[in-house]
Amino acid sequence: MNKMKALLSGNYTLIAFTFQVFWIIVFFLNRMVSGDAGGVPQFVYVNF
Amino acid sequence: MHKSWSEFVRLFASSEFYVSLPFWGAVAIVVVLYRLTARIGAFRDFLLLACSICLLLTLPRFDLTMLGVLLGVCGLTYAIARLLLNSERWTQPKSRQFLTAMGISLNVLVLAFFKYRFFQDFVLNRSTSGLRGSDFVFLIGISYTAFRAMHFVIEAYKRSIQNPTLLNFLNYMLFFPSFISGPIHRYNHFCANSAAARNSSFSSDFKAGLMRVVRGLFKKTVLTVLIFPYTLKNLRVPVQEMSFWQIALGLYAFALYLYFDFSGYTDLAIGTGRLMGFVLPENFNRPFLKPNIQQLWANFHISLTSWLTDYVYWPLSKKLRTFDYFRKNPIFLSNCAIIVTFVVCGIWHGDTAIFVLWGLYHGIGLSVLNIYQKWKRKVRNPVMRKYFTSKLSYAVGVVGTFTFYSIGLIAFLLSTAEMKLLVSRLASDLVMVFATLI
């Protein structure tokens, strides 16, 4: 258990990076296939 | 199939900042060119300016006319700053103050014209010329560039800027990663970064920049997409028919959506800057995990709050201290300065009275906190003192602060009519609760 913990904390950055890239690709592909997510407005702070 | 193909074409054909493939292709070319010319000082600066202008011209509603207007304002601002820094004719305090006021007024007027519909309508005499409201001329990024320009003039007045060049100033004003939505970085910091970028290590910058870009894309393309359907405007229930929990969920979701969208944008700006060797200032530091509204604002849109602190709060406090009454009541002085600063913050956010109310709401919230903290320091009861330092107190503070902030976002979400409906709805709910209790 401790080894697992050490492994996770030692590679936290890499794990988080991989996790984020994976979900970006999934959402990107989903957006291409369904086009559903295109309705989310971008840069809400731009008009302020 | 048709939908997916059109989406595919849209992603490849558009140049939308930070979310389209052509944009990232252009960024890759800029980074390579900028890195290759890292040691050729002036050429590198010209190249950066040319690349920034080319990328900005791909923005919607930003054409050559808008670029011309912006360059004109930059030129005037720079000329005023140069006079303040070098000219022997402008040594008298009064004349220097006049010149500084001119520089600030110029940028305030440009900001007001391109940001506030009522002011533009008034200047162009639209009510009599019969033009429609949709003819509003919007200059993208003006909220941020105007604040950068005012900072430059004020620092020139204080003589804290050393030998600025027009090229450096234009690069500072038009730096494409931070142009649209900040951070509002400072001129000296930008110049120091520009000089340091010449010798920075590409491998470490690339790694840090890439990590940051991925984090920003994750927030913008994954988290905001997940949260957006739950925000108040998207619940597809009329405001007056919403239950208390729907309103609470809608407001919390909007607060998170706003945070992930904006901080995601900041991550992308910081990451892109880092790929080129620039270290832009941080704009967020876990603001929704702070136990009071003062700490939330110290960690939310940091570059804006620090700008307002430096150029509104402190000068106003200094001025108020010249009055006896304020000097004898420091908490009152501080509260007045806070309220005025947040009203300015509200006006910066929008042109309707609701934004002034939003600023007042936060200003009064911070003032109440100020008084509460003064009272807290005087408490001697050991049980109370133990509670103040406990994790429970911290957790209550975090939830209370997040709720306070989320309620304030009603100003960004609802029209005046919808707000009236919501208030009457909540008032009738409260009456019902009291009636049940009695």
Side-chain angles (χ1 to χ4, degrees), chain B residues 325-344:
Chain B
Y325 181 78
F326 284 109
R327 223 181 7 253
K328 285 173 190 164
N329 299 284
I331 295 281
F332 184 64
L333 181 151
S334 165
N335 287 346
C336 286
I338 285 171
I339 289 172
V340 173
T341 306
F342 269 91
V343 168
V344 172

Side-chain angles (χ1 to χ4, degrees), chain B residues 172-421:
Chain B
Y172 164 68
M173 292 291 284
L174 304 177
F175 188 54
F176 77 91
S178 59
F179 181 83
I180 305 176
S181 201
I184 308 166
H185 48 287
R186 307 292 175 98
Y187 179 78
N188 283 340
H189 180 263
F190 180 80
C191 286
N193 256 283
S194 178
R198 275 173 210 175
N199 302 316
S200 68
S201 147
F202 178 67
S203 58
S204 65
D205 281 346
F206 183 75
K207 192 182 164 193
L210 186 68
M211 292 278 193
R212 206 61 195 262
V213 166
V214 166
R215 196 198 298 175
L217 280 175
F218 180 70
K219 284 178 184 172
K220 282 200 71 64
T221 59
V222 179
L223 296 180
T224 57
V225 173
L226 288 174
I227 293 167
F228 188 67
Y230 301 101
T231 57
L232 195 63
K233 276 280 189 187
N234 291 296
L235 291 178
R236 291 172 192 190
V237 181
V239 174
Q240 64 273 25
E241 288 171 25
M242 280 183 188
S243 70
F244 172 79
W245 294 111
Q246 277 178 316
I247 294 169
L249 172 77
L251 284 175
Y252 285 148
F254 186 71
L256 289 173
Y257 162 70
L258 184 83
Y259 169 71
F260 284 125
D261 187 82
F262 191 25
S263 73
Y265 172 84
T266 304
D267 286 335
L268 290 164
I270 291 174
T272 311
R274 190 65 193 267
L275 290 173
M276 297 163 71
F278 286 85
V279 184
L280 292 174
E282 292 296 333
N283 228 4
F284 296 91
N285 180 23
R286 301 179 179 188
F288 293 152
L289 296 178
K290 305 300 172 194
N292 63 51
I293 194 71
Q294 189 268 329
Q295 284 192 33
L296 183 144
W297 275 114
N299 294 282
F300 187 97
H301 205 172
I302 298 168
S303 62
L304 174 69
T305 45
S306 62
W307 193 100
L308 289 168
T309 307
D310 290 347
Y311 300 124
V312 180
Y313 177 81
W314 284 120
L316 183 65
S317 299
K318 213 173 149 186
K319 191 77 192 162
L320 290 177
R321 217 166 283 145
T322 57
F323 297 99
D324 268 355
Y325 181 78
F326 284 109
R327 223 181 7 253
K328 285 173 190 164
N329 299 284
I331 295 281
F332 184 64
L333 181 151
S334 165
N335 287 346
C336 286
I338 285 171
I339 289 172
V340 173
T341 306
F342 269 91
V343 168
V344 172
C345 184
I347 294 169
W348 181 84
H349 277 87
D351 62 349
T352 57
I354 290 175
F355 287 99
V356 177
L357 286 177
W358 176 82
L360 268 175
Y361 170 79
H362 279 283
I364 292 169
L366 276 157
S367 303
V368 171
L369 176 76
N370 226 353
I371 296 163
Y372 168 71
Q373 283 182 331
K374 192 189 172 192
W375 169 81
K376 221 167 104 174
R377 280 192 290 272
K378 286 179 185 167
V379 171
R380 291 287 168 262
N381 184 323
V383 180
M384 292 285 275
R385 289 191 72 81
K386 201 176 173 189
Y387 169 74
F388 290 149
T389 53
S390 69
K391 283 181 181 168
L392 175 68
S393 163
Y394 193 93
V396 169
V398 169
V399 174
T401 304
F402 183 53
T403 305
F404 180 84
Y405 177 83
S406 303
I407 291 170
L409 290 177
I410 288 174
F412 293 80
L413 276 170
L414 304 179
S415 63
T416 318
E418 284 174 321
M419 274 178 78
K420 277 180 189 165
L421 282 173

Side-chain angles (χ1 to χ4, degrees), chain B residues 84-142:
Chain B
L84 284 166
L85 286 167
N86 296 340
S87 176
E88 286 169 8
R89 281 181 61 193
W90 300 88
T91 49
Q92 293 298 316
K94 286 272 178 205
S95 56
R96 286 178 61 74
Q97 282 167 6
F98 172 74
L99 203 56
T100 310
M102 288 262 291
I104 293 171
S105 306
L106 166 76
N107 283 288
V108 168
L109 285 174
V110 172
L111 175 65
F113 181 81
F114 286 109
K115 196 175 167 92
Y116 305 129
R117 188 178 292 273
F118 75 90
F119 188 68
Q120 199 173 96
D121 286 347
F122 170 74
V123 172
L124 299 178
N125 200 16
R126 273 193 178 143
S127 53
T128 52
S129 64
L131 290 171
R132 283 170 292 110
S134 58
D135 293 319
F136 182 68
V137 187
F138 177 78
L139 179 52
I140 198 163
I142 190 65

